[in-house]
Amino acid sequence: MKRRAVLAAGATVAGSVVAGATVGATRGATTGDDPEPRPPSPAAETTVETGAVRPGTRRETPYFEVGSDDSGPTAVVVGGVHGNEVSGYRAAERIAEWEVTDGSVVVVPWANVVAVRRNEREGPDGDLNRQFSIGGEPETPLARSLWELVAAADPDVVVDLHRSRGIYGTHGRWVGQALFPTAAGGATSDADAVADRVNEAVVPASMWAHRFRRGNTLGGTSPLLIHKVSADLDTAGVLVELTEFYLDVDTQVRWTELIAERLLSRHGIERRGSAI
Amino acid sequence: MTTAGDDVTSESDGGPGADRDAAIADRDDAIADRGAAIADRDDAIADRGTWWTVVAGPGVVCLFSLLTVPLVLGTLDARLHSPLAAPGYALFVALTVVGERVVPQFAFRLYWPPFLLCSYGVAVAGAGVGRACLRGSDRLRGAARE
């Protein structure tokens, strides 16, 4: 598959940087408000390959491939597109620690690593999730590199992890507690099924406003990563939005990770030791 | 000199009997005054008790705790969220829904002080309604007995 070539190339250029400078830091807890990226500690039995997006630059950020073999389905999970959305990149860090029994997952935990380090929504080039022009090249080098990685992985599903302030349909313009699927790849039914499953599993009945729902379908009308996945790759993708309203960061991370797990499971990518 | 058979209580002769009567009357007045003072103090205590019950009686404390404590636990960790938090949760969500329309940029954590204030108001009102219901039912029971 294409992804192996991409990973090998990336690892050659930046593997030592990632393994030494970034991965060598502290481990353990993967939640909290500290904006510093925390390198994952993959399960011992899992094959992990690493590489980097924008190697050799200030925006260099690692990615991890966790998987069982080459033959199964592939997913791409992206966190940290917005640097202040802590639960998204903390959940991605945890996903990079999974032991995957079927298929493989390419995880980019800190897509906009400068913004993550600054704990700001936007990086030096502005809002990364408004730079994925539909039908053409993304607007900035970082967006282009990220898109090249996504496209080269030839994914069966792409999951983009975010966090919002309020709740979709309850708090004006906020979009939390919603899964926004692509028009392509049957993602709408995935979003419905996963929302139902996660509501049943972890959202208390008395937290009625926090029940997950499917948001509107993303079909390529805006320059967002998942819009581009739908329009340019014709592949399933889901933009996951958790709310910070009333939810502690640990809960946001747990629920985000669970949603990713169920979404990937719908595409045949199974995690050993499911959270449900 | 008073002799046996004299009417010592007679007011007409202005003797020692009249002095005693006056002393007794004074004492009765003093007792009456003290009684009035005690009654006033009891009224004051009763008034203070009623006022205190309205603003911080057991009913108010219970309702306020019911609205706030389970919600605070839930916000520390969603796994601590229990059905007991439902009333406080509904109030908090309602506040933020209204607040979002009025001041969209207001951060959600800033809703805690108004939430606590509203919870207190609801607790005072709820406890007042509870007391009124109890008084009403007592009166009905009394009327039924008569």
Side-chain angles (χ1 to χ4, degrees):
Chain A
M1 292 181 75
K2 281 190 240 171
R3 67 177 186 276
R4 289 293 180 195
V6 172
L7 290 165
T12 308
V13 176
S16 59
V17 176
V18 171
T22 314
V23 181
T26 52
R27 292 236 352 85
T30 53
T31 59
D33 288 327
D34 175 12
E36 270 303 301
R38 294 177 194 161
S41 172
E45 300 81 4
T46 306
T47 308
V48 179
E49 296 180 41
T50 61
V53 175
R54 303 281 294 143
T57 70
R58 205 159 63 90
R59 292 166 180 72
E60 174 179 327
T61 187
Y63 61 84
F64 306 86
E65 185 188 12
V66 189
S68 54
D69 54 47
D70 277 349
S71 58
T74 303
V76 175
V77 176
V78 183
V81 167
H82 293 137
N84 60 345
E85 297 178 1
V86 178
S87 60
Y89 64 79
R90 290 282 178 250
E93 289 166 7
R94 287 169 62 148
I95 291 165
E97 297 180 340
W98 285 2
E99 188 182 340
V100 175
T101 56
D102 292 305
S104 60
V105 188
V106 176
V107 187
V108 188
W110 316 292
N112 195 347
V113 73
V114 176
V116 168
R117 290 210 170 96
R118 292 177 180 172
N119 196 27
E120 291 173 356
R121 177 182 170 86
E122 299 182 1
D125 300 326
D127 187 340
L128 178 58
N129 211 23
R130 297 294 182 277
Q131 296 168 358
F132 295 93
S133 311
I134 309 299
E137 276 220 323
E139 292 164 22
T140 61
L142 178 59
R144 275 196 292 278
S145 298
L146 195 58
W147 181 249
E148 280 166 15
L149 177 70
V150 171
D154 190 18
D156 296 279
V157 59
V158 179
V159 181
D160 189 11
L161 305 176
H162 288 256
R163 185 227 63 201
S164 180
R165 271 184 54 193
I167 298 175
Y168 183 64
T170 300
H171 292 129
R173 62 201 164 94
W174 303 109
V175 290
Q177 304 304 96
L179 311 179
F180 296 86
T182 56
T188 49
S189 56
D190 290 345
D192 282 331
V194 170
D196 288 347
R197 184 79 180 93
V198 173
N199 286 335
E200 182 192 319
V202 294
V203 183
S206 54
M207 282 174 71
W208 41 270
H210 279 79
R211 295 182 74 74
F212 289 96
R213 65 178 77 179
R214 171 163 59 85
N216 57 294
T217 306
L218 311 181
T221 53
S222 297
L224 276 66
L225 174 62
I226 294 296
H227 270 285
K228 191 167 176 66
V229 166
S230 181
D232 292 6
L233 296 183
D234 196 27
T235 294
V238 178
L239 174 62
V240 178
E241 291 276 6
L242 266 280
T243 185
E244 66 175 2
F245 171 69
Y246 186 65
L247 294 182
D248 58 290
V249 177
D250 283 356
T251 299
Q252 293 169 38
V253 173
R254 274 199 315 276
W255 289 6
T256 305
E257 186 186 13
L258 186 59
I259 287 169
E261 181 192 308
R262 301 323 303 166
L263 282 170
L264 269 50
S265 176
R266 299 264 308 171
H267 289 268
I269 299 164
E270 298 294 343
R271 171 194 183 188
R272 191 186 297 277
S274 162
I276 293 185
Chain B
M1 185 177 182
T2 306
T3 59
D6 283 348
D7 182 3
V8 296
T9 60
S10 165
E11 291 179 5
S12 56
D13 65 0
D19 292 344
R20 205 181 308 157
D21 285 349
I24 289 168
D26 287 348
R27 196 190 58 194
D28 286 349
D29 285 349
I31 288 169
D33 287 347
R34 207 180 315 157
I38 289 169
D40 286 349
R41 198 189 58 190
D42 287 349
D43 285 350
I45 289 170
D47 284 350
R48 204 176 336 154
T50 309
W51 175 82
W52 187 248
T53 306
V54 167
V55 297
V60 175
V61 172
C62 284
L63 279 176
F64 182 72
S65 303
L66 183 68
L67 284 169
T68 56
V69 173
L71 195 74
V72 169
L73 286 176
T75 201
L76 293 176
D77 187 331
R79 287 172 293 197
L80 299 176
H81 179 96
S82 68
L84 280 176
Y89 178 82
L91 180 61
F92 197 45
V93 170
L95 265 180
T96 56
V97 167
V98 173
E100 266 289 301
R101 275 150 184 73
V102 180
V103 269
Q105 293 306 323
F106 210 40
F108 285 123
R109 65 178 180 279
L110 300 179
Y111 281 88
W112 280 101
F115 167 72
L116 294 174
L117 205 64
C118 283
S119 297
Y120 178 69
V122 169
V124 168
V129 169
R131 276 195 311 278
C133 289
L134 282 176
R135 270 201 300 271
S137 65
D138 283 350
R139 223 171 284 145
L140 281 175
R141 262 202 301 270
R145 244 182 266 129
E146 281 167 17

